[in-house]
Amino acid sequence: MKQRITLLALALCLGAAQAQAPSSGTSMTGGQAAPAVQGGTGTRNAPAQKMARADRKFIDAAAGAGMFEVQVGQLAVSKAEDPAVKAFASMLVDQHTAANNELVKLANAKGVELPAAPKHSLRRDIDKLGKKNGADFDRAFVREVGIAAHEQDIKLFEKARKDVKDADLRAFVEKTLPVLRDHLAAAGKLPQSGKNAATMGANKR
């Protein structure tokens, strides 16, 4: 009887130990490119580092914007009609993937949890764009993502350039900002942007 009680107690102890064992791994969304550590995972075992509230807020916003750029870029790679728009979208996916992966590493090192997906308004924008086709899709993608979204991204990063305190985060901002400006410039050169036509008209006057 004593032996049975001892074995039962040992089994309970082992079960409790397994239940308390930490789980590991991160969860990715938005294809292979999205920086998507699910809330509460992938960062719990990182060393705790105090970051300013503004720095954490920027990380959250940059992660959401980065996931949006990748997901909407993947959509354009499959739906765009103009080969030039497809090529632009492919570049966005590749380069935002690289930036997103850097942000994941930085966030994990600082113990900061990243959002699991872009914010609701951005997901709604992707759904809305996905309902368009052909030239209508190309024009909307170039103007809404290539130009408008990148203008917002640049404003976000320019503000962060002045405000962020963490040295590693500041380095990420300095490295990424020129890439965002290049994306905006490339979008402006596409016929769907409407900017070339305006420039040509101005030159004729």
Side-chain angles (χ1 to χ4, degrees):
M1 187 67 178
K2 287 183 179 180
Q3 186 177 13
R4 287 178 62 187
I5 292 172
T6 301
L7 289 174
L8 179 59
L10 180 60
L12 289 172
C13 288
L14 287 172
Q18 289 175 353
Q20 292 173 4
S23 58
S24 60
T26 60
S27 176
M28 304 297 286
T29 63
Q32 58 183 210
V37 179
Q38 292 277 12
T41 68
T43 59
R44 286 179 180 173
N45 296 326
Q49 295 190 24
K50 269 201 169 185
M51 292 191 77
R53 184 179 178 184
D55 289 13
R56 289 177 176 271
K57 189 174 179 181
F58 168 73
I59 289 176
D60 187 80
M67 283 186 281
F68 167 76
E69 296 284 2
V70 168
Q71 292 175 14
V72 77
Q74 289 170 337
L75 176 66
V77 167
S78 65
K79 290 201 68 169
E81 183 177 73
D82 188 333
V85 176
K86 275 186 182 289
F88 174 70
S90 181
M91 177 188 70
L92 292 188
V93 172
D94 291 342
Q95 295 188 2
H96 278 283
T97 292
N100 292 352
N101 289 339
E102 283 191 39
L103 191 58
V104 169
K105 292 178 183 177
L106 192 153
N108 283 339
K110 306 294 181 179
V112 177
E113 295 179 7
L114 296 177
K119 61 184 181 180
H120 179 71
S121 61
L122 294 178
R123 297 200 303 271
R124 189 173 60 237
D125 288 344
I126 295 173
D127 291 340
K128 184 178 176 183
L129 189 60
K131 295 176 182 177
K132 298 180 182 293
N133 293 291
D136 190 30
F137 174 88
D138 289 3
R139 184 168 50 253
F141 173 74
V142 171
R143 295 182 182 184
E144 295 172 16
V145 178
I147 295 176
H150 278 86
E151 286 176 343
Q152 292 178 6
D153 291 345
I154 289 169
K155 286 181 182 178
L156 173 68
F157 275 71
E158 284 179 339
K159 185 176 186 304
R161 195 180 193 182
K162 301 174 184 176
D163 296 344
V164 296
K165 307 299 182 186
D166 184 85
D168 295 328
L169 187 56
R170 185 180 293 276
F172 171 77
V173 171
E174 293 288 352
K175 181 178 180 180
T176 307
L177 188 51
V179 178
L180 297 174
R181 288 174 175 154
D182 287 346
H183 291 173
L184 178 60
K189 292 176 183 177
L190 292 170
Q192 291 83 356
S193 70
K195 293 193 173 185
N196 286 350
T199 301
M200 289 173 62
N203 291 339
K204 287 180 181 179
R205 291 193 185 99

